[in-house]
Amino acid sequence: MEKKKLLGMTLTDLQLAVKSLGMPGFTAKQIAQWIYGKRVRSIDQMTNLSAKNREILAASFEIGATEPVDSMHSVDGTIKYLFHTSDKQYIESVYIPDDDRATLCVSSQVGCKMGCKFCMTGRQGFHGHLTVTDILNQIYSLPESEKLTNVVFMGQGEPFDNLDNVLKATEILTADYGWAWSPKRITVSSVGLKKGLERFLNESQCHLAISLHCPVPQERAALMPAEKAFSIRDVVSLLREYDWSHQRRLSFEYIVFGGLNDSLAYGKELVKLLKGLECRINLIRFHQIPDSDLKNTEPEQMVKLRDYLTQHGIFTTIRASRGEDIYAACGLLSTAKQQSEQNGNTEAGYK
């Protein structure tokens, strides 16, 4: 019988588990401290549990942490890690050091259902939701885990399509019994799925990033099929119902495509769409993917767009690209290359 994973269990989960094993209720907090506080790799290391209780626990449970199976290092210091999931598939995470900050871009699904035209993960298709264990293992087993200052759910998958597990993971990251992080250290990105967006806004205090990419609904739909189900105008209308003036940050991600959405006419549409909303825009350079007719814009055009938006009251930044040489930059994550290696194609993926 496969053992259950302790990594990914909330305090309530642990309390139910120890109760089912006939162990004292306070044992749940001790286990949580060993996992989330001390990050042990084995139940045998939980030395304030009696030998008998460790034996009972180990008969049905394991920590559930697994080391990365491979990594790729960029010239700019970015590191892309490959992890096995609980069901033996693959996901990628990206570690991005930057002076006194260190950010981990985590995945929430194997592949993605959203089918965005500019994204390699979308091309991979959807192959499953990550468990809470899979999500947290990307942090738990990261060699640089102790250096992390921020986590962004901007890797493979649509977080709001796996919201139960994402919310559970962020609860453990922020709870006193868990990692006790401030929610301000965590950003969750989404294309704007209505049901998930409403739940996230009501149940989490983490920062929110919306994948915008085009302010014109019909044109956004051509890039992002999710627009047809819940329009960006409806997304913004919903966001206006919440208070963004304190603590929590709202940002919009905007990949700038040459000759498509990079003119000041689109800047005007962005100002019209977001006027009066407390938010920021992150302009992102498009990273070319195979067999795509989308093109990158000129750096000067990005600066013009940034300056226009800033002059019209929207705080706007140009995000620095990181890890492009190892396919770790925005929109490039895909484990299809690694999977092809498993099928005998040794020229693809990690080496």
Side-chain angles (χ1 to χ4, degrees):
M1 184 179 70
E2 186 176 352
K3 293 182 179 181
K4 296 178 182 178
K5 310 289 195 293
L6 293 171
L7 176 62
M9 284 190 168
T10 63
L11 184 59
T12 301
D13 293 333
L14 291 170
Q15 288 167 340
L16 291 172
V18 300
K19 183 178 179 180
S20 72
L21 297 174
M23 297 163 63
F26 63 81
T27 311
K29 281 191 175 182
Q30 292 176 318
I31 295 171
Q33 179 59 29
W34 283 111
I35 299 170
Y36 303 123
K38 300 181 180 179
R39 305 192 193 194
V40 296
R41 312 299 293 189
S42 167
I43 290 172
D44 288 338
Q45 294 176 277
M46 301 180 182
T47 52
N48 62 350
L49 274 64
S50 69
K52 180 181 179 182
N53 280 341
R54 275 180 275 160
E55 184 179 349
I56 293 171
L57 188 63
S60 300
F61 293 88
E62 61 184 0
I63 301 299
T66 57
E67 299 296 327
V69 297
D70 215 334
S71 64
M72 296 180 74
H73 294 247
S74 168
V75 293
D76 64 21
T78 300
I79 307 173
K80 183 170 70 172
Y81 286 102
L82 185 76
F83 287 95
H84 261 142
T85 66
S86 300
D87 57 358
K88 306 305 179 187
Q89 298 195 78
Y90 294 98
I91 53 166
E92 293 178 332
S93 309
V94 182
Y95 173 72
I96 309 166
D98 185 18
D99 295 330
D100 59 345
R101 291 169 57 90
T103 301
L104 183 67
C105 180
V106 301
S107 295
S108 57
Q109 294 179 314
V110 183
C112 186
K113 298 177 186 176
M114 299 301 109
C116 296
K117 188 176 178 182
F118 46 82
C119 180
M120 286 290 290
T121 309
R123 286 190 178 184
Q124 183 179 332
F126 175 72
H127 298 283
H129 297 301
L130 295 192
T131 65
V132 186
T133 305
D134 291 330
I135 294 171
L136 291 180
N137 184 60
Q138 297 169 74
I139 304 166
Y140 198 91
S141 296
L142 184 79
E144 299 83 6
S145 185
E146 296 295 338
K147 299 178 182 178
L148 288 180
T149 59
N150 301 85
V151 166
V152 294
F153 284 77
M154 296 181 181
Q156 293 173 251
E158 164 54 55
F160 288 0
D161 192 41
N162 187 21
L163 189 57
D164 285 340
N165 290 341
V166 168
L167 285 177
K168 204 168 181 181
T170 58
E171 175 191 329
I172 292 168
L173 283 168
T174 57
D176 290 341
Y177 69 79
W179 270 298
W181 281 25
S182 164
K184 291 186 288 184
R185 295 174 64 179
I186 303 167
T187 301
V188 180
S189 176
S190 173
V191 298
L193 303 183
K194 182 179 181 181
K195 193 172 181 180
L197 179 57
E198 290 175 327
R199 279 193 60 199
F200 178 79
L201 291 171
N202 291 320
E203 298 178 31
S204 174
Q205 287 301 311
C206 296
H207 294 323
L208 173 66
I210 295 293
S211 296
L212 173 54
H213 309 310
C214 186
V216 181
Q218 299 88 337
E219 295 179 31
R220 185 173 186 259
L223 290 170
M224 306 172 66
E227 167 69 23
K228 299 170 187 175
F230 190 46
S231 169
I232 189 61
R233 290 176 180 171
D234 293 331
V235 170
V236 172
S237 293
L238 178 59
L239 294 173
R240 290 187 185 280
E241 298 176 13
Y242 291 80
D243 181 7
W244 298 97
S245 60
H246 304 289
Q247 304 300 320
R248 176 187 256 183
R249 184 176 66 234
L250 171 63
S251 58
F252 290 89
E253 309 296 298
Y254 194 90
I255 297 177
V256 188
F257 304 102
L260 185 65
N261 66 348
D262 59 344
S263 72
L264 295 190
Y266 287 89
K268 292 177 182 178
E269 290 296 323
L270 285 168
V271 171
K272 187 188 305 182
L273 177 68
L274 303 178
K275 186 176 181 180
L277 185 62
E278 187 74 24
C279 65
R280 65 176 63 188
I281 294 178
N282 295 317
L283 301 180
I284 303 168
R285 186 169 67 84
F286 173 59
H287 303 103
Q288 194 69 43
I289 61 177
D291 303 317
S292 172
D293 57 358
L294 296 170
K295 297 179 294 185
N296 191 15
T297 190
E298 295 297 325
E300 297 82 3
Q301 192 62 31
M302 289 187 76
V303 171
K304 287 180 182 178
L305 185 58
R306 179 200 63 190
D307 292 348
Y308 178 87
L309 293 168
T310 300
Q311 290 163 7
H312 287 79
I314 302 177
F315 179 71
T316 304
T317 63
I318 298 174
R319 182 186 292 168
S321 292
R322 299 290 300 272
E324 187 173 3
D325 58 319
I326 57 169
Y327 281 82
C330 181
L332 297 183
L333 295 187
S334 170
T335 52
K337 295 190 293 296
Q338 172 66 18
Q339 290 166 347
S340 68
E341 275 195 352
Q342 307 307 306
N343 295 328
N345 179 4
T346 57
E347 294 185 2
Y350 293 78
K351 296 182 180 178

